[in-house]
Structure formats: C-alpha cells, structure tokens
C-alpha cells in the first residue's frame, strides 16, 4: 500500500464574522491509500478552534506510514485501525482520515458498500438538518429560503440574540428546529428558562447548552428540562461516554472527534445500551467525510450532515439528499468519486 496526502482549503458559501475578522474557509487534508490498483479516500477536517492542524495531521500520517505500507492483507482492517488508534493520543481527525480511507479501500476490495458491511438498511437513513448560523436577520431569512427543501433546521444560538433569531425564523417557517448552543449559556437557570421558552417554539432538542466541563449542571438540566439535551463538546471520544451517559438524553457523534467509522460504530452500540438518542454530526467537510459518516446513518436518530451544501468547492461527489433525507448509493466503499 502507498500513502499520498494533500493540504486543501474548503470555502464557505456564506463567510461569517468572528472576533478577529471573517472566516471564509476551513483547512483540510485529503488522504489517498493506493493498493492493487484501487484507491481509498479519506479526509481530515480541521476547524481553527481545535488543536489539530494540517501539519499535525501530516506528521501523524508520516508516523502511520510504515504500518500502512506494510499491509498486504486488508482483511485485518479492524486490527489495523485499532493499532492506528493507539499509536498516539488524540489526533482524532488524522485518525478519522486513515480510518475512512481504509474503509473505502476495504469496500472496494470486497466490492461492497460500507453501509452494507455495517449491516445497515439503506431505507433507514435519517433526514439531515440544514444549518443556520448566527447572522443578521436578512441573512437568516435568506438561508431559511435556501434550506426550504429540508425538513429540519439546526439553529446556532449563543445567548446574545437567541429570542430574536428564533423569532426571525418563526416569522418565515414553522418547521421543526434543533438548537445548538455550543456551550454558549452561562448557567443552568438561564439555560432552563431559555429551554422552557424554546419548548413553545417547535424545538426538538437542545445541543450542548452549557460548558462541557459542567457535568453537575448538565445533570440538573437533564432532570429539569422539558426538552431533550444532547452532548456535543462534552462527548468527544468513546471514553467520554461513561462520564456523560447520565447527564444527557443523547449524543452528537462526529468522525473527526471520535477518530473514524470504527470508533463511531463502537460508540453507537454502547449508546444504544444506555438508551441515548444519537445524532451523527460533522465539521466543515466535503462529500468525502460526509459520505463516510452517512454509511452509519441508518443506525442513528438524527443527522447533521449538510456540510456539502454550505461550501463552494466540494472535491467529491458522494451521497445525495432528497428533501434532506440521506440517499446512500450502491458504489463500493464510502460511495464517492473525486471531481476536483
Ligand atoms: Mg454542536
């Protein structure tokens, strides 16, 4: 097997303001694993607020190179992925890229789609949400129009203009909303008050209302909230599940947080035992990593995999959405074709 990688930038359709300027793009690294004339594709997405960078991903790939190049039999894929996982702590986006590329390659060797290999039924895919970021009222209204084919909206709130944002959306549509606070509310009392109001606004659940470390407050909210609370920042890797399982009604799994498809599958199995609701989410990713995540989506309750709709330069063609429903294809592996 040989390993090739490339740094790239993906650009947002709607650049957004942050404290020090405007964010227009996200750094990613694409990975290709070549084996017997077949290519497995993988992707690491690197949001600027997380520690991994393009250089850290590449140095992880270089560390994994000898192991990957020594592979002749892909039937050992589970063992191989386990070895990659324990090579070094964290580096979950780099691990996810390798895990995705290995699954893609393995599917191509076996002439099967990954969703089939995972024992999933194609018709059981969930609908994805369409994301509305924090923005001006005009831009929110424009995005509500752009996302009109989707069944649910995912709305970002941060404590500052929460009521105004929801009211702007509610003046345009009564579609169900998922709210993502990204740890933005200061305390549990503020959170409960806001959730009680959101409960009158056709909101399905609230993601990560409080700082990820505040598990006692999360538990209090879990017991008092009229709406389900979903862990995102508090639920990164498999080992976090034990800590948070009694403090939330559900979890948001992302390949870039947990280290790939094998890790995500393990989390899904355990989370089901704890009766947790499961959402499959994403960072800013192309159709490569999104199509990989979609392979497991028949096993989850909700999906937030709309990233290909939010970028201008998708390097891959992969899964499609019909009115927001994830449409898996029958192509081998993760079901993608490289286009750029
Ligand atoms: Mg989130």
């Amino acid at each position: 097997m040989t390993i090739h990688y490339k740094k790239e930038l993906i650009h947002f359709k709607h650049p957004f303001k942050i404290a020090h300027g405007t964010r227009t793009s996200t750094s990613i690294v694409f990975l290709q694993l070549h084996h017997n004339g077949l290519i497995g594709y993988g992707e690491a997405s690197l949001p600027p607020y997380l520690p991994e960078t393009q250089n850290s991903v590449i140095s992880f790939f270089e560390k994994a190179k000898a192991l990957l190049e020594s592979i002749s039999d892909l039937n050992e894929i589970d063992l191989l992925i386990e070895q990659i996982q324990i090579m070094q702590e964290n580096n979950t986006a780099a691990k996810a890229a390798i895990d995705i590329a290995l699954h893609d390659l393995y599917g191509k060797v076996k002439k099967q789609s990954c969703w089939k290999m995972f024992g999933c039924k194609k018709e059981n895919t969930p609908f994805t949400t369409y994301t509305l970021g924090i923005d001006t009222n005009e831009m929110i209204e424009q995005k509500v129009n752009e996302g009109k084919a989707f069944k649910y909206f995912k709305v970002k709130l941060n404590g500052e203009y929460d009521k105004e944002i929801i009211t702007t959306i509610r003046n345009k549509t009564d579609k169900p909303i998922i709210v993502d606070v990204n740890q933005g509310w200061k305390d549990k009392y503020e959170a409960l008050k806001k959730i009680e109001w959101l409960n009158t606004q056709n909101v399905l659940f609230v993601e990560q209302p409080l700082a990820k470390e505040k598990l006692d407050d999360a538990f209090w909210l879990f017991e008092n909230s009229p709406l389900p609370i979903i862990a995102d920042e508090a639920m990164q890797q498999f080992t976090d599940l034990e800590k948070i399982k009694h403090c939330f009604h559900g979890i948001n799994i992302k390949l870039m947080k947990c280290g790939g498809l094998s890790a995500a599958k393990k989390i899904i199995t355990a989370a089901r035992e704890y009766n947790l609701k499961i959402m499959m989410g994403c960072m800013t990713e192309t159709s490569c990593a999104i199509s990989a995540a979609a392979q497991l989506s028949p096993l989850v309750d909700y999906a937030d995999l709309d990233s290909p709709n939010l970028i201008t330069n998708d390097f891959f063609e992969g899964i499609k959405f019909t009115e927001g429903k994830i449409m898996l294809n029958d192509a081998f592996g993760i079901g993608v074709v490289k286009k750029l």
Side-chain angles (χ1 to χ4, degrees), residues 48-324:
Y49 50 86
L50 294 178
E52 284 183 88
T53 62
Q54 287 180 322
N55 289 342
S56 76
V57 167
I58 286 170
S59 79
F60 188 87
F61 289 168
E62 286 297 325
K63 276 191 200 113
K65 198 173 181 172
L67 177 63
L68 290 167
E69 284 179 347
S70 71
I71 300 306
S72 55
D73 181 8
L74 269 171
N75 286 317
E76 305 278 309
I77 179 172
D78 289 337
L79 186 66
L80 181 59
I81 287 172
E82 198 50 50
Q83 282 173 285
I84 302 282
Q85 289 291 340
I86 59 172
M87 259 178 51
Q88 202 179 333
E89 277 199 317
N90 301 320
N91 292 284
T92 50
K95 289 172 185 171
I98 297 175
D99 165 289
I100 293 168
L102 282 171
H103 276 94
D104 191 34
L105 197 54
Y106 186 60
K108 285 167 178 164
V109 169
K110 292 284 168 192
K111 296 190 172 19
Q112 273 221 336
S113 307
C114 288
W115 58 266
K116 254 187 212 164
M117 297 194 293
F118 291 135
C120 293
K121 288 206 174 78
K122 208 177 171 182
E123 61 274 19
N124 290 350
T125 53
F127 287 78
T128 185
T129 55
Y130 189 86
T131 303
L132 308 174
I134 294 167
D135 228 316
T136 59
N137 289 350
E138 293 71 33
M139 189 50 95
I140 290 173
E141 286 172 5
Q142 186 189 325
K143 287 182 186 169
V144 167
N145 272 336
E146 287 175 15
K148 63 174 180 285
F150 291 76
K151 209 172 154 177
Y152 309 105
F153 286 118
K154 173 160 164 169
V155 180
K156 302 264 185 191
L157 298 181
N158 65 0
E160 226 177 322
Y161 306 104
D162 299 351
K163 262 197 181 173
E164 198 180 333
I165 291 170
I166 298 291
T167 307
T168 304
I169 298 164
R170 279 292 166 250
N171 287 337
K172 300 278 287 179
T173 174
D174 53 11
K175 262 181 218 182
I177 290 175
I178 286 164
V179 163
D180 186 1
V181 190
N182 290 115
Q183 318 181 74
W185 292 339
K186 284 187 272 322
D187 65 60
K188 59 186 181 183
Y189 303 108
E190 178 196 6
L192 184 60
K193 223 170 125 195
K194 294 213 164 161
I195 292 169
E196 280 167 351
W197 180 73
L198 289 172
N199 192 32
T200 66
Q201 301 293 315
N202 195 18
V203 169
L204 298 178
F205 59 77
V206 176
E207 200 180 306
Q208 200 68 52
L210 299 168
K212 61 180 180 185
E213 305 80 17
K214 290 186 173 173
L215 289 184
D216 290 344
D217 292 350
F219 179 67
W220 181 87
L221 206 52
F222 167 83
E223 289 210 305
N224 289 285
S225 168
L227 287 174
I229 313 290
I230 304 293
D232 182 5
E233 286 84 348
M235 173 64 217
Q236 303 275 333
Q237 303 188 43
F238 180 78
T239 45
D240 294 321
L241 195 57
E242 276 304 310
K243 286 179 257 170
I244 60 104
K245 67 183 183 194
H246 298 305
C247 306
F248 293 89
H249 301 85
I251 55 170
N252 181 348
I253 301 175
K254 296 175 183 165
L255 299 186
M256 299 299 145
K257 289 192 300 188
C258 71
L261 290 160
S262 290
K265 180 121 194 301
K266 197 170 143 193
I267 295 172
I268 291 170
T269 307
R272 285 295 178 215
E273 299 221 334
Y274 301 140
N275 284 321
L276 292 167
K277 289 271 174 216
I278 305 172
M279 172 153 77
M280 182 66 85
C282 63
M283 304 297 182
T284 307
E285 297 165 12
T286 74
S287 284
C288 177
I290 293 295
S291 297
Q295 304 297 310
L296 284 173
S297 70
L299 304 177
V300 307
D301 306 296
Y302 300 100
D304 170 25
L305 296 175
D306 64 336
S307 170
N309 296 307
L310 309 177
I311 60 175
T312 58
N313 57 334
D314 193 350
F315 291 73
F316 284 84
E317 203 166 303
I319 58 129
K320 301 268 180 258
F321 304 103
T322 302
E323 300 193 339

